[in-house]
Amino acid sequence: MTDIPDVRPAEAMEAVNGSAPAMVVDVRTRAEWAYVGIVDLSAASTQPVLIEWQTFPDMTVDPAFGDALAHACPDKETALYFLCRSGARSLAAAREMAGRGYAKVFNIADGFEGPPDELGHRGHVAGWKAEGLPWRQS
């Protein structure tokens, strides 16, 4: 059990489309955004907040992450839905922001691509892409 609630990707999309302030915070790396894709929230007239939790290639936690997100979202009552590839990095980032006083933090279960399928490919079993939610590649 975790101190941060998991939500399905569709729940995060629904929240962003709702009337209460909500943001998707994608904590993957720049390489993942560029080559794998990002969520498309244009139907909600917004875009995800893109801030790396860990920096590629050494994957060390970025010590400026919390300050960067606090700058992007100064309202600590905004619901923050954290996303990574599979749900692990996003959980760590959500815990960081909960520790900074953000009241509504959620981890998007299975992340953008979810676990690998029987052939070792991601994006087909669970996660944002597998749920058929909008996304795009650059």
Side-chain angles (χ1 to χ4, degrees):
M1 188 165 140
T2 179
D3 50 326
I4 304 295
D6 277 343
V7 298
R8 303 291 334 140
E11 291 175 72
M13 185 69 176
E14 191 175 297
V16 170
N17 282 316
S19 59
M23 301 170 78
V24 171
V25 181
D26 188 333
V27 303
R28 296 174 301 147
T29 65
R30 293 178 192 279
E32 289 171 296
W33 302 327
Y35 298 110
V36 179
I38 62 170
V39 302
D40 182 357
L41 304 175
S42 58
S45 299
T46 190
Q47 287 301 319
V49 175
L50 306 176
I51 304 174
E52 292 178 307
W53 171 248
Q54 295 171 296
T55 55
F56 185 81
D58 60 359
M59 299 306 283
T60 57
V61 173
D62 182 353
F65 174 85
D67 291 339
L69 184 49
H71 179 74
C73 180
D75 181 359
K76 293 185 176 185
E77 292 300 315
T78 297
L80 300 177
Y81 292 84
F82 289 85
L83 176 80
C84 68
R85 180 185 69 187
S86 61
R89 286 174 285 171
S90 53
L91 178 58
R95 285 184 174 140
E96 167 74 21
M97 298 316 287
R100 288 175 172 248
Y102 282 78
K104 301 170 188 167
V105 294
F106 304 91
N107 186 48
I108 299 176
D110 295 316
F112 188 67
E113 295 181 276
D117 64 15
E118 66 279 353
L119 299 175
H121 302 148
R122 292 184 185 271
H124 304 287
V125 175
W128 192 277
K129 288 171 70 174
E131 287 193 19
L133 296 170
W135 65 281
R136 61 184 170 80
Q137 287 179 300
S138 52

